[in-house]
Amino acid sequence: QMWEEAIALGKELAEQYENEMFDYEQLSELLRKQAQFYENIVKVIRPKPDYFAVGYYGQGFPTFIRNKVFIYRGKEYERREDFEARLLTQFPNAEKMKTTSPPGEDIKTSSGQYIQCFTVKPKLDLPSKFHRPVSEQIVSFYRVNEVQRFEYSRPVRKGEKNPDNEFANMWIERTIYVTAYKLPGILRWFEVKSVFMVEISPLENAIETMQLTNDKINNMVQQHLNDPNLPINPLSMLLNGIVDPAVMGGFTNYEKAFFTEKYMHEHPEDHDKIEKLKDLIAWQIPFLAEGIRIHGEKVTEALRPFHERMEACFRQLKDKVEKQYGVRAVLSSLDERRGSRPRSMVRSFTMPSSSRPLSVASVSSLSSDSTPSRPGSDGFVLEPLLPKKMHSRSQDKLDKDDLDKDKKEKKKEKRNSKHQEIFDKEFKSTDISLQQSEAVILSETISPLRPQRPKSQVLNVMSSERRFSVSPAAPSSQLTPPPVTPRTKLSFSIQPNLELNGMSSSDIPDIPPPLPLKGSMADYGNLMESQDLISPTTSPPAHQRVSP
């Protein structure tokens, strides 16, 4: 279940499959596995194993473990007693030590075998990529994995014992163990390379305890928000133990021990720490409020009286804390600590159909065998457009040559009159109601978005090739176009020195071949124009030819 490590290895394999081997089948399978791993990280609850410090003291042990300390990673849900029993089976003659303090020289130099075993807590070492708060489900992996520092805390009392408040003089003696390598590794245990000890004052211990309590409440609230099917009993015990003063006393003992004039007078250097402790107490209220809200939504009728009593205790606690330590914002604190995604990461990947541009595939998919795929086959009439200035590169070139521009305008009129004649003959007998349509304006020289010619048009073109083979020198008065209603004009532009389908102007015959029945999205209407415009005697240089 170390999916984070599997993802790291999968990324290395993906680089090989994609850029070295070009094995896209293996790559797709690997990416599907990685997607499942990411989902498991967020949704699956993994058990947290315990870590144990084991010391082998005495001359009776082999030299590679003699008088050394090792950190072991226990199995899933393995208790310390079970681990000790498993450890002692390997050394049946060893004696188990009763204390957790380091042994003296007499034990280390004795001829016997002494084993010291106790539970240590791994110290979280988050990777540098987590520079902002993230989900607890993601961080929980690094609390027990990829750890190299472990700590063991032992309470020590200094000064006079206070029977009313034991927190006032309770110091913590904390031992830090650093292993040779991170756990888990190729082994489940590694040798301790360095050991050092620090002392934690009672006030610092209170600050750590409050911080851990707030984190515990927040983590459990987040788990219930992510998975509503979690059992409610752990949440009930956690909230009741904090809210009900008869159970554990809450932070009242801290107030009696540190928030007094006597302590402030004796320890003026702890003013900042006291303020931090007060701030942590105030932050606990919004966490408890969110937890009680979730508890009220999921509580059963049998536990309703228990929940109502807990709510009453919380109201009293909230009034007291907000009066003494201030009010903390609930929404901002929860959002910040819950690790929710920033708004910049939450993007909408859908656009409204009115503002989404149509692609080539979407335009071509609009046509089918049952519906006409060209304006005019639906009853639309292709009619001249109002002159509009084009800003394409090819149009700028045509504007430089006045003679070519005049020829282009003549051919437009001829072509439009021929199209008009074809459509009038074909749809003369049909009574199709005209519908409003948008004009198709092609700003490029050859537009790939022009719909294909319907089959009926192709058949008419094949049977009347002479209609499309009009000489450029023919006067426009020979063709009498039918009356045109005032509509928009369909304009096409083409570059005079353009190659068509890989053929230069010298290769184009006088009479064009029949058009295919169902070709690609080519602009067939420009074939006639290109034949008329391009002179067979002047072939453009090779370096000036532009492929369509």
Side-chain angles (χ1 to χ4, degrees):
Q1 290 186 337
M2 298 182 67
W3 298 305
E4 288 79 357
E5 305 296 338
I7 289 173
L9 295 177
K11 290 180 179 179
E12 296 182 19
L13 282 176
E15 178 70 20
Q16 293 293 319
Y17 289 147
E18 184 176 5
N19 299 323
E20 299 293 338
M21 300 172 61
F22 303 101
D23 191 343
Y24 287 175
E25 290 186 3
Q26 291 285 346
L27 178 62
S28 63
E29 181 66 24
L30 181 64
L31 293 179
R32 279 192 290 268
K33 289 182 179 180
Q34 287 190 16
Q36 185 63 44
F37 292 156
Y38 280 112
E39 186 177 356
N40 293 343
I41 290 174
V42 178
K43 295 185 177 180
V44 178
I45 298 179
R46 290 174 280 188
K48 298 180 180 179
D50 291 331
Y51 285 89
F52 308 100
V54 180
Y56 300 94
Y57 302 105
Q59 300 298 316
F61 287 109
T63 56
F64 69 94
I65 61 173
R66 183 184 302 167
N67 295 330
K68 294 181 180 179
V69 181
F70 297 85
I71 300 295
Y72 282 77
R73 177 185 171 98
K75 297 181 179 180
E76 295 179 359
Y77 304 109
E78 185 176 30
R79 299 178 303 170
R80 183 174 60 87
E81 294 79 6
D82 300 332
F83 175 78
E84 288 178 350
R86 183 161 59 91
L87 191 64
L88 291 174
T89 55
Q90 302 176 12
F91 304 99
N93 298 326
E95 180 181 349
K96 177 187 173 183
M97 297 179 63
K98 304 296 183 182
T99 62
T100 58
S101 57
E105 290 296 326
D106 54 341
I107 294 181
K108 291 182 178 180
T109 57
S110 65
S111 60
Q113 293 180 346
Y114 299 91
I115 292 181
Q116 186 183 56
C117 180
F118 51 90
T119 305
V120 291
K121 181 182 177 182
K123 204 168 179 61
L124 175 64
D125 185 17
L126 273 178
S128 58
K129 63 181 180 180
F130 297 113
H131 56 275
R132 58 175 298 276
V134 295
S135 172
E136 174 62 23
Q137 195 73 359
I138 300 175
V139 178
S140 62
F141 171 80
Y142 298 97
R143 296 189 186 276
V144 292
N145 295 283
E146 297 186 11
V147 287
Q148 197 170 2
R149 295 161 60 91
F150 304 85
E151 60 184 33
Y152 174 74
S153 301
R154 188 164 61 93
V156 177
R157 299 194 179 276
K158 294 183 179 181
E160 299 179 0
K161 183 177 181 180
N162 187 355
D164 296 334
N165 194 341
E166 60 180 4
F167 295 96
N169 56 1
M170 181 185 292
W171 289 68
I172 300 297
E173 186 181 86
R174 180 165 296 166
T175 307
I176 309 296
Y177 301 92
V178 181
T179 57
Y181 307 98
K182 290 185 177 181
L183 279 168
I186 193 172
L187 300 175
R188 296 180 70 94
W189 55 283
F190 286 122
E191 181 184 355
V192 174
K193 287 300 183 182
S194 62
V195 181
F196 58 94
M197 186 177 61
V198 294
E199 285 188 345
I200 308 297
S201 66
L203 180 57
E204 292 174 344
N205 182 34
I207 292 175
E208 285 189 4
T209 304
M210 283 298 303
Q211 184 66 57
L212 291 175
T213 304
N214 290 355
D215 291 343
K216 191 174 183 180
I217 300 172
N218 186 28
N219 294 339
M220 188 164 291
V221 166
Q222 188 175 356
Q223 290 178 6
H224 280 271
L225 289 175
N226 295 334
D227 188 2
N229 298 323
L230 288 178
I232 198 177
N233 295 337
L235 181 63
S236 302
M237 292 187 292
L238 177 64
L239 295 177
N240 189 54
I242 298 173
V243 171
D244 194 349
V247 180
M248 295 177 63
F251 48 80
T252 308
N253 293 325
Y254 299 149
E255 296 176 339
K256 295 178 182 178
F258 309 117
F259 299 168
T260 60
E261 294 293 336
K262 179 181 178 181
Y263 186 87
M264 291 293 296
H265 181 72
E266 294 177 354
H267 304 87
E269 70 279 0
D270 291 343
H271 176 74
D272 294 338
K273 296 179 181 178
I274 290 177
E275 293 299 323
K276 184 176 182 180
L277 180 59
K278 290 180 179 180
D279 185 64
L280 290 173
I281 293 174
W283 273 117
Q284 194 175 78
I285 298 302
F287 295 145
L288 289 173
E290 185 70 9
I292 291 177
R293 183 190 67 81
I294 296 175
H295 189 273
E297 294 176 354
K298 302 175 66 174
V299 70
T300 59
E301 290 299 326
L303 294 177
R304 181 63 60 180
F306 166 77
H307 176 75
E308 292 176 354
R309 184 180 183 280
M310 190 165 59
E311 278 187 331
C313 294
F314 173 70
R315 282 193 293 269
Q316 298 177 1
L317 181 67
K318 181 180 179 181
D319 295 339
K320 174 188 173 183
V321 171
E322 290 182 350
K323 184 182 297 183
Q324 294 182 0
Y325 309 119
V327 181
R328 298 298 183 270
V330 179
L331 294 177
S332 62
S333 66
L334 286 177
D335 292 341
E336 210 173 302
R337 287 161 172 77
R338 198 176 292 165
S340 59
R341 294 185 298 171
R343 292 184 180 179
S344 60
M345 295 176 62
V346 184
R347 300 173 181 172
S348 176
F349 293 96
T350 59
M351 297 173 58
S353 58
S354 59
S355 61
R356 183 169 58 242
L358 289 176
S359 62
V360 177
S362 61
V363 171
S364 61
S365 62
L366 294 177
S367 62
S368 62
D369 295 337
S370 59
T371 58
S373 61
R374 176 174 183 163
S377 59
D378 262 354
F380 294 103
V381 180
L382 293 180
E383 298 176 2
L385 266 173
L386 295 176
K388 183 177 179 181
K389 183 177 180 181
M390 298 296 180
H391 296 280
S392 62
R393 188 178 302 174
S394 60
Q395 186 65 33
D396 294 339
K397 291 182 179 180
L398 290 175
D399 291 339
K400 296 178 183 179
D401 195 342
D402 295 332
L403 180 60
D404 292 341
K405 186 176 180 181
D406 294 335
K407 288 184 178 182
K408 179 176 175 295
E409 293 297 330
K410 292 180 181 181
K411 301 318 166 195
K412 280 184 185 178
E413 295 176 1
K414 293 178 183 180
R415 184 180 65 253
N416 289 332
S417 63
K418 292 166 191 173
H419 282 291
Q420 183 69 44
E421 186 178 358
I422 294 172
F423 295 139
D424 286 344
K425 288 182 179 180
E426 184 176 352
F427 298 101
K428 187 190 237 180
S429 58
T430 58
D431 295 333
I432 302 176
S433 61
L434 297 180
Q435 300 177 1
Q436 294 293 333
S437 63
E438 297 180 358
V440 180
I441 300 177
L442 304 179
S443 59
E444 298 295 332
T445 57
I446 295 181
S447 173
L449 292 180
R450 180 172 176 180
Q452 297 179 2
R453 188 186 303 278
K455 295 181 180 180
S456 59
Q457 295 291 329
V458 176
L459 293 177
N460 287 339
V461 170
M462 293 174 62
S463 61
S464 57
E465 290 180 0
R466 294 175 60 188
R467 189 178 302 165
F468 290 89
S469 59
V470 180
S471 173
S476 59
S477 61
Q478 294 178 0
L479 295 174
T480 58
V484 176
T485 56
R487 276 187 174 274
T488 56
K489 180 180 179 181
L490 182 63
S491 64
F492 302 90
S493 60
I494 188 165
Q495 192 170 342
N497 59 349
L498 192 66
E499 290 186 7
L500 296 177
N501 298 328
M503 298 175 61
S504 63
S505 60
S506 59
D507 298 332
I508 300 178
D510 294 336
I511 299 177
L515 295 176
L517 291 178
K518 207 66 171 175
S520 60
M521 300 289 292
D523 194 354
Y524 294 129
N526 284 343
L527 293 178
M528 177 275 298
E529 179 186 356
S530 64
Q531 177 190 350
D532 295 339
L533 286 177
I534 299 176
S535 175
T537 59
T538 59
S539 177
H543 66 278
Q544 294 181 358
R545 299 177 183 175
V546 182
S547 60

